[in-house]
Amino acid sequence: MDSELKGLNSKPSRTHQDEPTHDDASAKDDCPLLKSDSSSADNIQELEKKFAAYVRNDVYGTMGRGKLPLKEKLLLGIALITLLPLRIVLGITVLVVYYSICRICTLFSAPSQEEEQEDYAHLGGWRRAVIVRSGRFLSRSLLFVLGFYWINETNKDSENTQENSNAKGTNQSEEPERPGAIVSNHVSYLDILYHMSSSFPSFVAKRSVAKIPLVGLISKCLGCVYVQRESKSSDFKGVAGVLTDRVREAHQNESAPMMMLFPEGTTTNGDYLLPFKRGAFLARVPVVPVILRYPYRRFSPAWDSISGVRHVVFLLCQFVNHMEVIWLPVYYPSQQEKDDPKLYATNVRRLMASEGNLILSDIGLAEKRIYHAALNGNNRPPSVLHQKDD
């Protein structure tokens, strides 16, 4: 991959930039646009063929730096003056209100601690009820503030979907098992707000999220499982064990929060489905597949090859944003799938691709970082290529 990356960036016409990807949470957005000569255009086309799952196809173009038509410039200018400041104020207000609720509900309560994890998901009684109900309401309110005035949700029953290998087994005659996790394709950070508003599950998050002002406490109330993506230490087994235990607990205990997992491990442009990691399926319990889509006319809400700040600004400047959600029936794994988590993950992925009209792709996070590095003129292969990404 090193030689391939150098070949893609050896043209002298490309402007070299040092912008890291949005996965690094410290992306800068001050590098100039790529030059539009023929050699650079050829390189971009070659990149887009190889990394189609991360290519932006909206009006704003590659990395959100495309040449905008006059009409779009006018609409963007109006929104920058009117919508942007209003939505920022309202969004911060919603966040502060929910943080205050979480702070009050966790007063005089010690967080649960296990394997370097810390959360308040174990709270019971009125405290938990207030956290969950207000969290669902305010998450939907925040989506409304962001322009998602209505969300088209579809619930498919087993008769309208491809039946999995165990659908005709004993699960149909016996009492249905409670699923342990929700598995969803990953398109944007907006996915999290939707799932908070619909079922308020626990998520897997970067360890640094727990230290973010306001958001940190909220993530602990959600019961997030924290991981260090770039870590080479031996704590991976411990995190995987905590995650598996949490999925099994949700499966066995109705009062335990459901786990929400994005098995792709990163975001796409919404048209593709990346290979699934096995972590969501190691517990060998039923899961609920969910498919998210963001139809658009001007700006795509997908967080693929665009920096975080630029994405948020453009998103806030859209007068209306759209979201479609497909809830598939609970997927009950067969004994063969329980014995082989990789097979379980593969079969769920194929079902979701079929029902959501998504294209299966065999690339992952490593290739995404190669694509971002190439777009930014960085000849060094990302260090993630030398790490196990499973």
Side-chain angles (χ1 to χ4, degrees):
M1 289 186 177
D2 191 359
S3 59
E4 178 182 297
L5 181 59
K6 290 180 179 178
L8 289 172
N9 294 279
S10 60
K11 303 293 182 179
S13 59
R14 184 180 294 277
T15 301
H16 290 270
Q17 305 166 23
D18 297 317
E19 179 184 23
T21 69
H22 66 257
D23 288 293
D24 298 325
S26 59
K28 296 181 181 179
D29 196 22
D30 55 359
C31 49
L33 291 170
L34 298 176
K35 293 184 178 180
S36 59
D37 56 30
S38 59
S39 59
S40 291
D42 291 341
N43 273 348
I44 291 178
Q45 290 179 359
E46 184 179 353
L47 284 171
E48 291 179 347
K49 290 180 181 179
K50 288 186 176 182
F51 308 115
Y54 309 122
V55 176
R56 295 193 68 81
N57 299 306
D58 60 6
V59 174
Y60 290 78
T62 303
M63 301 178 72
R65 296 196 181 101
K67 186 176 181 180
L68 298 178
L70 179 60
K71 180 181 178 180
E72 186 63 28
K73 290 180 179 178
L74 291 175
L75 291 173
L76 185 60
I78 295 173
L80 283 170
I81 300 173
T82 57
L83 276 181
L84 182 63
L86 177 62
R87 284 177 168 173
I88 288 177
V89 171
L90 291 176
I92 293 176
T93 300
V94 171
L95 183 62
V96 171
V97 168
Y98 188 51
Y99 170 81
S100 301
I101 293 173
C102 291
R103 175 57 67 189
I104 293 173
C105 290
T106 55
L107 282 176
F108 311 113
S109 298
S112 174
Q113 295 185 347
E114 178 185 7
E115 296 286 344
E116 299 185 4
Q117 303 294 324
E118 183 176 278
D119 67 77
Y120 290 98
H122 68 288
L123 290 177
W126 68 269
R127 295 172 183 261
R128 184 63 186 171
V130 170
I131 288 175
V132 172
R133 292 177 184 177
S134 61
R136 294 183 63 177
F137 174 77
L138 292 174
S139 296
R140 184 62 187 93
S141 300
L142 187 53
L143 284 172
F144 188 90
V145 169
L146 296 176
F148 294 92
Y149 305 122
W150 57 87
I151 297 176
N152 184 13
E153 295 180 288
T154 302
N155 290 276
K156 291 193 174 183
D157 54 37
S158 57
E159 295 181 358
N160 296 325
T161 61
Q162 295 182 359
E163 297 181 357
N164 62 65
S165 59
N166 203 37
K168 297 182 180 179
T170 57
N171 286 312
Q172 294 297 314
S173 57
E174 299 176 359
E175 183 179 353
E177 294 182 78
R178 171 180 162 86
I182 301 170
V183 293
S184 172
N185 64 319
H186 202 9
V187 184
S188 174
Y189 50 82
L190 299 166
D191 304 348
I192 297 172
L193 284 178
Y194 168 74
H195 286 295
M196 284 180 64
S197 69
S198 65
S199 53
F200 204 79
S202 298
F203 296 86
V204 176
K206 291 182 180 180
R207 197 178 299 278
S208 59
V209 171
K211 300 178 181 179
I212 299 177
L214 304 182
V215 176
L217 178 61
I218 294 174
S219 70
K220 292 177 183 179
C221 289
L222 279 164
C224 288
V225 175
Y226 301 109
V227 300
Q228 189 67 36
R229 172 178 279 176
E230 310 300 341
S231 176
K232 295 182 181 180
S233 64
S234 59
D235 69 345
F236 173 78
K237 183 177 179 181
V239 172
V242 171
L243 180 60
T244 301
D245 290 344
R246 291 283 294 276
V247 173
R248 287 175 178 164
E249 181 186 6
H251 170 60
Q252 299 169 355
N253 184 1
E254 291 186 2
S255 63
M258 192 87 73
M259 284 300 304
M260 173 68 242
L261 301 170
F262 299 108
E264 294 172 285
T266 189
T267 54
T268 68
N269 60 14
D271 296 326
Y272 291 79
L273 199 60
L274 307 182
F276 280 6
K277 303 183 188 304
R278 297 175 298 169
F281 309 93
L282 292 174
R284 304 189 294 182
V285 301
V287 298
V288 181
V290 179
I291 303 162
L292 300 177
R293 305 203 67 148
Y294 295 86
Y296 64 89
R297 293 182 180 179
R298 298 161 50 211
F299 176 76
S300 169
W303 196 22
D304 35 39
S305 59
I306 183 172
S307 72
V309 174
R310 185 177 290 266
H311 186 279
V312 170
V313 170
F314 287 161
L315 178 73
L316 294 176
C317 288
Q318 303 307 302
F319 295 91
V320 180
N321 289 299
H322 302 277
M323 182 188 300
E324 295 178 353
V325 185
I326 301 176
W327 286 83
L328 299 182
V330 176
Y331 190 104
Y332 298 96
S334 65
Q335 187 58 50
Q336 185 180 8
E337 289 171 324
K338 290 180 179 180
D339 296 336
D340 186 356
K342 185 175 182 180
L343 175 65
Y344 187 6
T346 299
N347 289 344
V348 172
R349 177 175 176 247
R350 287 175 178 170
L351 174 67
M352 292 175 63
S354 174
E355 297 298 330
N357 195 26
L358 302 173
I359 304 170
L360 293 175
S361 173
D362 59 357
I363 62 177
L365 178 60
E367 288 79 10
K368 182 177 188 177
R369 293 190 171 181
I370 289 179
Y371 177 55
H372 286 195
L375 288 178
N376 288 298
N378 186 357
N379 288 325
R380 289 188 305 171
S383 58
V384 72
L385 297 180
H386 306 291
Q387 302 174 17
K388 183 178 179 181
D389 185 30
D390 190 12

